[in-house]
């Protein structure tokens, strides 16, 4: 069992269970994984046995300092270590007859090979395979063979790890497949085609080829003929869950035995294919589609090792597509739940209210953002903006629960906003499944002729923004208390009060409007203030629309905004 307690970048990708379960549990060669700093992130059981050390004794230690020695056991200066130098350059490295220090203090003669693993163009770490050196006649030749095999294996492992990273960087199926094609061509193939089962049809959804030949690939995309079960075509067999198939020039030129086989043969022949591999996406029990890799040069046809590698990739791609589709269905349900609850706000007398909800971009998770506005029994108007901790169905369901409870509590008693939120906080653990949430509850009070006043309390939510008609804008940072679910324990929440000048605009919003990855919150709040100032005199609908346009670029979260315009 692999144990991973190290810090650094190696830890994050070493935590991907599918990768380590399949590679570590089945690998018969000693393997150590180091992160970008050269610290050991994980080791497999074969490495533990060979070095006489437990994983817990090695993980988190400096690989070079703990293990790497000359054959006679003397230390190697760090500046002379080829593995560390290769890690800095992001290049492969290998060594023959080096010593790796055993737990009993003696050097174990080994041949080793290291291959870097990159993410987003950066070196995240290195996989180091090593094997004991055999002594005696013929050892140099045998050593060369072993080193070559180790280098080949580490290169393939690195390729599989990078494919896994490519597939897990997005939950958007189209984007994932596009990235996969660009990754495989030209690393592994000259062309790559991906076919998916979609609502009873087979569609060729992606074809990637050499740079500048995109139009050729696009011509082969679209709906394909049905996959007749009696066809011997590799593509048909893959779509029915068959084993991966490697074909050469003879099979590519063979007469097709079905309509789908004819399309695939035309595709391969049009590219000038000399070798092709077709593998199912997913497993024999759940086939999502098929992946076809093509080489057009006769010098390097696919071999059995390439076939095994492509088969492993097919399983990973199928799993990624299944996950993306499941996520997409959950996202659609969650978004529908939110939209059904986010009704158009009322228009109480001379006040004007407008609201907007913008879901997270495709590939991101829908959260639990919501707004609400309703009339209270004493004639005041209640405004609510909130965000439930979590994503997708759980957050959407929790949002629905809070939405209904807060309306009932606010209508039941005419009391300060802080008291209403206190009662809501008390009821949450008994009545809902919501772990934590933030919100602002506000009352807008006044007669038709004014003056108007805002009373509010905030449970850990970003502060409301009040914009005067002359463009002066200030954040209302009073009335702040802990978020819902944090259990205040004693003193209760705070209320705040501020007059609403004629013609002013009050903006309530969720954090997706001001939080963009790569920037801090103060930067987002400053941008919002500047844009709101510039838009202060625009009609309220235009004000909201332009705020979203100008602020939401780069956001990965959903956004809710609620705006109130006081009569001038």
């Amino acid at each position: 069992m692999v144990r991973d307690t190290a810090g650094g970048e190696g830890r994050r990708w070493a935590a991907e269970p599918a990768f380590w379960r399949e590679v570590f549990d089945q690998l018969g060669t000693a393997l150590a994984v180091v992160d970008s700093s050269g610290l050991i992130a994980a080791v497999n059981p074969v490495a533990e046995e060979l070095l006489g050390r437990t994983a817990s004794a090695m993980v988190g230690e400096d690989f070079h300092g703990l293990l790497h020695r000359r054959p006679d056991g003397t230390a190697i200066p760090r500046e002379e270590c080829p593995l560390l130098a290769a890690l800095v350059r992001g290049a492969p490295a290998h060594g023959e007859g080096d010593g790796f220090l055993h737990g009993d203090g003696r050097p174990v003669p080994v041949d080793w090979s290291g291959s870097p693993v990159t993410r987003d163009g950066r070196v995240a770490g290195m996989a180091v395979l090593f094997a004991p050196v055999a002594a005696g006649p013929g050892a140099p030749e045998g050593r060369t063979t072993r080193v070559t095999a180790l280098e080949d294996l580490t290169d393939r492992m690195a390729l599989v790890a990078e494919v896994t990273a490519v597939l897990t960087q997005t939950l958007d199926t189209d984007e994932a497949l596009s990235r996969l094609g660009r990754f495989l061509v030209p690393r592994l193939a000259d062309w790559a085609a991906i076919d998916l089962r979609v609502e009873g049809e087979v569609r060729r959804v992606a074809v990637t080829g050499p740079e500048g030949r995109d139009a050729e690939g696009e011509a082969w995309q679209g709906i394909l003929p049905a996959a007749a079960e009696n066809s011997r075509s590799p593509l048909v067999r893959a779509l029915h869950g068959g084993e991966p198939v490697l074909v050469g020039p003879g099979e590519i030129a063979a007469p097709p035995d079905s309509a789908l086989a004819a399309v695939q043969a035309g595709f391969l022949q049009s590219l000038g294919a000399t070798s092709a591999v077709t593998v199912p996406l997913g497993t024999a029990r759940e086939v999502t589609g098929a992946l076809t890799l093509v080489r057009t040069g006769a010098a390097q046809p696919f071999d059995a090792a390439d076939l095994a590698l492509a088969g492993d990739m097919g399983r990973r791609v199928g799993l990624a597509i299944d996950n993306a589709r499941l996520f997409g269905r959950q996202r659609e349900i969650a978004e529908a739940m939110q939209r059904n609850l986010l009704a158009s706000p009322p228009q109480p007398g001379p006040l004007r209210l407008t609201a907007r909800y913008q879901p997270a971009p495709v590939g991101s998770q829908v959260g639990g953002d919501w707004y609400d506005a309703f009339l209270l029994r004493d004639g005041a108007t209640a405004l609510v903006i909130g965000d439930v901790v979590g994503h997708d169905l759980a957050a959407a369901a929790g949002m629905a629960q809070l939405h209904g409870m807060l309306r009932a509590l606010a209508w039941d008693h005419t009391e300060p906003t802080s008291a209403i939120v206190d009662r809501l906080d008390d009821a949450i653990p008994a009545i809902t499944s919501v772990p934590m949430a933030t919100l602002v509850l506000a009352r807008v009070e006044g007669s038709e002729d004014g003056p108007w006043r805002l009373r509010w309390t905030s449970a850990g939510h970003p502060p409301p923004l009040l914009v005067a008609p002359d463009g002066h804008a200030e954040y209302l940072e009073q009335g702040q208390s802990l978020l819902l679910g944090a259990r205040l324990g004693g003193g209760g929440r705070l209320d705040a009060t501020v007059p609403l000048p004629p013609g002013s605009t009050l903006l309530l919003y969720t954090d997706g409007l001001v939080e963009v990855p790569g920037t801090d919150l103060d930067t987002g709040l400053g941008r919002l203030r500047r844009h709101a100032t510039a838009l202060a005199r625009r009609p309220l609908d235009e004000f909201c629309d332009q705020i979203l346009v100008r602020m939401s670029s780069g956001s990965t979260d959903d956004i809710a905004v609620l705006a109130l315009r006081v009569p001038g």
Side-chain angles (χ1 to χ4, degrees):
M1 179 179 178
V2 178
R3 293 173 287 278
D4 181 9
T5 57
E9 296 190 18
R11 178 178 180 178
R12 287 196 290 274
W13 53 272
E16 295 175 359
F19 174 70
W20 291 125
R21 185 166 54 252
E22 294 178 17
V23 175
F24 269 68
D25 291 352
Q26 300 173 21
L27 192 64
T29 304
L31 171 63
V33 180
V34 300
D35 68 9
S36 58
S37 302
L39 302 181
I40 300 174
V43 293
N44 71 348
V46 179
E48 291 181 282
E49 183 177 356
L50 178 62
L51 298 176
R53 301 173 183 267
T54 64
S56 59
M58 291 186 279
V59 168
E61 299 293 331
D62 179 79
F63 181 90
H64 176 81
L66 180 69
L67 299 177
H68 202 183
R69 299 292 186 272
R70 293 191 175 96
D72 62 2
T74 57
I76 302 174
R78 296 185 69 85
E79 60 271 15
E80 297 179 13
C81 176
L83 188 146
L84 293 179
L87 188 60
V88 172
R89 298 194 311 271
H94 68 273
E96 299 181 17
D98 285 3
F100 280 7
L101 200 61
H102 193 274
D104 62 11
R106 60 183 172 85
V108 178
V110 297
D111 294 333
W112 60 269
S113 177
S115 184
V117 175
T118 60
R119 270 195 165 180
D120 299 327
R122 299 182 301 112
V123 177
M126 183 171 287
V128 184
L129 283 159
F130 50 97
V133 175
E141 294 80 2
R143 180 179 303 164
T144 300
T145 302
R146 281 193 304 276
V147 170
T148 301
L150 284 172
E151 289 175 349
D152 183 64
L153 181 56
T154 51
D155 287 344
R156 292 177 185 277
M157 287 177 57
L159 186 63
V160 171
E162 289 183 72
V163 166
T164 302
V166 166
L167 294 172
T168 55
Q169 286 169 356
T170 178
L171 285 169
D172 178 6
T173 302
D174 292 341
E175 176 62 20
L177 296 181
S178 176
R179 291 183 182 184
L180 177 65
R182 294 194 298 269
F183 179 84
L184 295 177
V185 176
R187 284 180 177 87
L188 189 61
D190 299 315
W191 289 85
I194 299 175
D195 306 319
L196 294 185
R197 291 184 174 277
V198 182
E199 298 178 354
E201 297 176 330
V202 178
R203 294 176 181 266
R204 180 148 290 175
V205 297
V207 178
T208 307
E211 189 174 353
R213 299 180 65 181
D214 297 340
E216 293 178 56
E218 291 174 2
W220 289 98
Q221 293 180 214
I223 300 175
L224 299 178
E229 293 191 20
N230 59 351
S231 173
R232 298 304 300 163
S233 163
L235 176 56
V236 175
R237 289 155 59 187
L239 290 170
H240 287 299
E243 293 296 318
V245 178
L246 167 60
V247 297
E251 294 91 344
I252 292 172
D257 61 359
S258 68
L260 180 53
V263 171
Q264 182 73 341
F267 170 67
L268 296 177
Q269 292 166 16
S270 73
L271 302 180
T274 56
S275 180
V277 167
T278 301
V279 301
L281 302 182
T283 65
R285 290 191 304 108
E286 189 69 31
V287 178
T288 304
L291 168 67
T292 299
L293 301 176
V294 178
R295 286 183 181 170
T296 56
Q300 287 186 312
F302 288 114
D303 57 22
D306 295 319
L307 184 65
L309 179 63
D312 189 15
M313 289 181 182
R315 288 188 292 273
R316 295 170 188 274
V317 175
L319 178 62
I321 292 171
D322 286 343
N323 288 340
R325 286 176 170 176
L326 176 60
F327 165 79
R329 288 193 293 270
Q330 292 179 333
R331 188 182 191 279
E332 289 171 2
I333 295 171
E335 186 179 329
M337 288 179 65
Q338 285 182 293
R339 289 197 180 278
N340 287 337
L341 287 168
L342 302 179
S344 298
Q347 301 301 326
L351 297 173
R352 286 294 170 262
L353 283 166
T354 192
R356 298 288 187 271
Y357 172 71
Q358 179 173 293
V362 173
S364 300
Q365 293 182 315
V366 174
D369 294 19
W370 97 95
Y371 63 80
D372 197 10
F374 51 95
L375 296 176
L376 299 170
R377 66 167 66 199
D378 65 351
T381 300
L383 306 179
V384 183
I385 195 82
D387 188 357
V388 174
V389 172
H391 294 94
D392 289 331
L393 288 177
M399 179 270 288
Q401 292 172 323
L402 290 190
H403 177 275
M405 285 179 58
L406 185 55
R407 273 200 168 210
L409 292 172
W411 177 261
D412 184 48
H413 287 84
T414 300
E415 56 186 342
T417 54
S418 60
I420 296 170
V421 176
D422 277 338
R423 289 201 289 147
L424 178 67
D425 203 7
D426 290 339
I428 281 177
I431 301 176
T432 79
S433 58
V434 174
M436 287 187 175
T438 68
L439 65 78
V440 170
L441 173 62
R443 286 171 52 94
V444 181
E445 305 167 348
S447 63
E448 290 212 358
D449 298 329
W452 298 92
R453 181 170 295 273
L454 180 75
R455 302 182 188 274
W456 81 96
T457 189
S458 174
H461 199 82
L465 180 63
L466 182 59
V467 187
D470 63 2
H472 175 73
E474 66 172 311
Y475 285 106
L476 306 181
E477 297 181 343
Q478 308 91 331
Q480 282 283 353
S481 300
L482 292 179
L483 73 170
L484 296 170
R487 305 273 72 82
L488 280 170
R493 298 182 179 277
L494 303 175
D495 284 286
T497 305
V498 68
L500 297 175
S504 62
T505 303
L506 176 71
L507 181 66
L508 308 179
Y509 54 93
T510 54
D511 56 7
L513 188 67
V514 292
E515 290 185 353
V516 175
T519 65
D520 57 48
L521 181 59
D522 287 341
T523 298
L525 292 172
R527 288 178 59 227
L528 177 58
R529 187 202 299 266
R530 289 194 300 273
H531 290 312
T533 295
L535 298 167
R537 292 185 175 273
R538 301 286 182 88
L540 194 58
D541 284 332
E542 185 181 348
F543 175 89
C544 282
D545 290 337
Q546 285 297 312
I547 286 290
L548 281 178
V549 168
R550 300 183 185 193
M551 288 295 299
S552 62
S553 176
S555 175
T556 59
D557 201 356
D558 51 350
I559 299 171
V561 297
L562 177 62
L564 170 108
R565 176 69 53 82
V566 178

